[in-house]
Amino acid sequence: MPRNLTLLTDLYQLTMMNGYLRNGKQGDIAVFDLFFRRNNIITYSVAAGLEQAVDYIRGIRFTEEDIAYLRSLGLFDEEFLDYLRTFRFTGDVYAVPEGTVVFPEEPIITVRAPILEAQFVETALLNIVNHQTLIASKSAKVAYAAKGDAVMEFGLRRAQGPDAGVYGARASIIGGCRSTSNVLAGKLFDIPVAGTHAHSWVMNFPSEYEAFRAYAKLFPDACLLLVDTYDTLRSGVPNAIRVFDELRAAGHEPKGIRLDSGDLAYLSKRARKMLDDAGYPNAIICASGDLDEYLINSLKNQGAKIDLWGVGTKLITSADMPALGGVYKLSALYPAGGGMVPKIKLSDNSDKITNPAFKDVYRIYDKKTGKAEADLIVVRGETIDESKPLTIFHPKETWKRTTFTDYRVRPLTEQVLRGGELVRPLPKLADICAYAEREKESFWDEYKRPDNPHVYKVDLSQQLFDIKNKLISEIRESNG
């Protein structure tokens, strides 16, 4: 969906750019990291939104109409406005591939570019990546709770606007959903679309039976009937079975029924028995109605006979956590003609102290199990000799140490843009989804469970740890 999103930014990005230009800093190279902070709900996430982020960066163009609007604000000098006429992103972008399981403090995207360019892209990158990563993460947890059952994304009508619905559907597929009700998303991203009929369809006919019969006549090979408009067990399921008998007599097999309200555990068990007794053991039972990973997990534990889950509001809005909390922080500067100068943000809250320098992330796997055991954030250029034991330590509680002997490492970060141009074509959505499934499978269940998940280790290399603590000491000394 190509659009010019150049002015999708916060005003202070432009005022800082104007200031950098006035102070002769346009030759400085800056490194910014986009990451999310630790919180009590999202302990891991699934990276998403890179394709749209890259499209945005490569499409940055200030039109004459944009420049006229900025001039009307009375804030910018003509030198700066003239500079914007030829403004393009010419820097480098590094990122973890979409579908990568990521953890707090790990760079999802790193931008290395002239300071005016690196500063300008902050707001839009956060807008794009925060949202899709948030929804992909929620989807991953919903799909995990479904334990292999297919999940349909049903949230368009409850999404916070068209973009949230369209790109949320895309992110939900990366996270683990199999289909969406969103037809536009289906067209744009080649996502399977799914849906049946609403209660209003049933209410528009003289009787429930006639409504079911009319729908079955239209879609004899895809007949999935919503059975809870009036009375699920006394009328809905019996009428569905009556229509299924007619379909079978005409040489078709029904798909199944959908439950959208009531006690889904009880109703699904009763409906399953009724369908089986009527000779329809292969008819599926789909459930919807304010579902999330916690309710799905509870229904599974109660033995609910549900084969397909339609999840809407709580997925597309990430209802229990409506914002990822991703940030974009300066980690290094390369003054014109000089080497790297690490940068750090301090805070009284230790969770808000950033990690300095231009960085990479390595994932450590146990060779025997193939499972991920820990991540290590390092200074870019650091290497790990897999023939030697590797000891990592907690970045705050440094006495907590783990040594790996039979292990392998994988760098997570790849270069995506060089000089503003794609290094290689980005993967198709189907390939992203397949990669995301492999990623999730590489983690023990203890890290993915919805309640009290085990905390995954994300540590700093000794070199990065030393740089960080040296900067903290120097800043505190210089500021008294």
Side-chain angles (χ1 to χ4, degrees):
M1 197 185 299
R3 295 177 294 174
N4 187 339
L5 299 178
T6 301
L7 288 189
L8 185 69
T9 190
D10 291 310
L11 181 63
Y12 78 170
Q13 312 292 8
L14 290 160
T15 58
M16 284 189 285
M17 289 170 68
N18 197 164
Y20 291 144
L21 191 65
R22 289 281 290 270
N23 284 276
K25 290 185 173 291
Q26 61 269 33
D28 293 354
I29 303 297
V31 178
F32 282 84
D33 294 323
L34 190 159
F35 60 93
F36 67 97
R37 293 191 173 113
R38 191 173 306 280
N39 57 71
N40 294 326
I41 298 176
I42 293 188
T43 52
Y44 78 92
S45 194
V46 176
L50 179 62
E51 180 179 326
Q52 286 67 45
V54 167
D55 287 345
Y56 154 73
I57 289 173
R58 298 183 70 206
I60 293 172
R61 302 287 188 276
F62 285 91
T63 66
E64 287 301 320
E65 184 180 351
D66 294 337
I67 291 169
Y69 169 71
L70 295 176
R71 180 182 289 110
S72 74
L73 299 178
L75 293 171
F76 306 106
D77 56 49
E78 286 301 317
E79 179 188 1
F80 177 63
L81 295 174
D82 188 56
Y83 165 82
L84 294 181
R85 285 189 169 87
T86 57
F87 182 84
R88 303 288 186 273
F89 184 87
T90 63
D92 302 331
V93 172
Y94 303 79
V96 300
E98 287 194 87
T100 301
V101 172
V102 288
F103 296 90
E105 313 305 324
E106 296 181 339
I108 299 173
I109 293 179
T110 295
V111 174
R112 184 182 186 276
I115 181 63
L116 277 77
E117 300 173 21
Q119 185 72 67
F120 178 70
V121 298
E122 172 184 5
T123 300
L125 288 187
L126 284 171
N127 176 274
I128 294 166
V129 175
N130 263 329
H131 175 248
Q132 287 203 47
T133 300
L134 177 72
I135 303 305
S137 307
K138 186 68 171 177
S139 174
K141 294 179 181 183
V142 169
Y144 178 76
K147 294 181 171 60
D149 296 343
V151 178
M152 303 178 289
E153 183 277 308
F154 267 20
L156 177 58
R157 66 186 61 193
R158 303 286 175 77
Q160 283 100 340
D163 277 5
V166 169
Y167 294 109
R170 178 186 186 273
S172 75
I173 298 298
I174 293 173
C177 288
R178 305 275 184 86
S179 60
T180 179
S181 66
N182 187 328
V183 179
L184 179 57
K187 176 189 173 186
L188 290 174
F189 308 121
D190 195 24
I191 300 170
V193 291
T196 56
H197 62 79
H199 297 105
S200 58
W201 171 270
V202 177
M203 296 160 65
N204 264 288
F205 288 80
S207 70
E208 186 176 55
Y209 166 67
E210 289 170 277
F212 287 175
R213 197 163 185 259
Y215 191 82
K217 186 177 180 180
L218 285 170
F219 306 104
D221 295 310
C223 183
L224 196 150
L225 300 173
L226 179 61
V227 296
D228 71 336
T229 303
Y230 301 124
D231 190 309
T232 300
L233 299 179
R234 289 190 176 90
S235 93
V237 177
N239 279 323
I241 290 172
R242 184 179 175 189
V243 170
F244 290 171
D245 289 341
E246 295 172 3
L247 275 174
R248 181 174 281 175
H252 304 282
E253 278 297 308
K255 190 170 183 180
I257 63 171
R258 176 161 73 98
L259 305 171
D260 189 52
S261 60
D263 185 333
L264 295 177
Y266 171 74
L267 292 174
S268 67
K269 292 175 189 178
R270 289 289 306 276
R272 179 76 273 158
K273 186 176 189 310
M274 293 168 73
L275 290 167
D276 291 351
D277 290 347
Y280 297 101
N282 295 324
I284 67 169
I285 298 177
C286 170
S288 56
D290 287 328
L291 298 173
D292 61 10
E293 67 268 38
Y294 301 103
L295 183 51
I296 292 174
N297 189 59
S298 174
L299 288 167
K300 283 282 188 181
N301 289 336
Q302 295 174 64
K305 301 299 183 181
I306 297 169
D307 310 292
L308 177 64
W309 306 84
V311 185
T313 303
K314 292 183 179 180
L315 168 55
I316 203 66
T317 64
S318 186
D320 57 344
M321 184 181 173
L324 180 70
V327 294
Y328 184 85
K329 296 298 181 183
L330 179 69
S331 61
L333 278 176
Y334 292 78
M340 182 181 74
V341 180
K343 294 290 180 178
I344 191 170
K345 175 193 177 296
L346 297 189
S347 171
D348 289 337
N349 181 346
S350 62
D351 286 339
K352 290 193 172 185
I353 297 177
T354 61
N355 292 318
F358 191 16
K359 297 178 289 294
D360 273 325
V361 182
Y362 285 105
R363 182 150 292 160
I364 304 166
Y365 297 87
D366 183 283
K367 274 188 177 180
K368 291 178 181 176
T369 64
K371 296 292 189 181
E373 297 290 344
D375 287 359
L376 191 64
I377 307 176
V378 305
V379 177
R380 179 164 289 273
E382 279 193 78
T383 59
I384 296 175
D385 186 348
E386 296 177 12
S387 68
K388 297 178 180 178
L390 173 63
T391 298
I392 63 173
F393 56 90
H394 192 285
K396 295 172 186 172
E397 300 164 355
T398 55
W399 62 90
K400 295 181 178 179
R401 293 176 176 259
T402 302
T403 298
F404 300 98
T405 54
D406 192 20
Y407 69 97
R408 67 177 181 87
V409 298
R410 176 172 75 96
L412 298 187
T413 307
E414 300 175 353
Q415 186 163 12
V416 180
L417 295 180
R418 181 184 295 118
E421 299 297 330
L422 274 172
V423 173
R424 66 184 66 83
L426 295 174
K428 295 184 181 299
L429 185 59
D431 296 326
I432 294 170
C433 293
Y435 168 74
E437 285 303 308
R438 295 193 300 272
E439 274 285 281
K440 291 182 289 183
E441 282 299 311
S442 71
F443 286 85
W444 297 104
D445 284 343
E446 286 80 358
Y447 298 117
K448 296 182 287 186
R449 64 192 178 208
D451 294 316
N452 300 313
H454 194 63
V455 177
Y456 185 78
K457 299 179 182 68
V458 178
D459 296 342
L460 308 182
S461 70
Q462 185 68 57
Q463 183 179 342
L464 181 55
F465 178 83
D466 291 342
I467 291 173
K468 182 174 184 175
N469 282 280
K470 182 173 183 287
L471 281 174
I472 291 172
S473 296
E474 289 174 350
I475 292 170
R476 284 178 173 163
E477 288 176 9
S478 65
N479 286 279

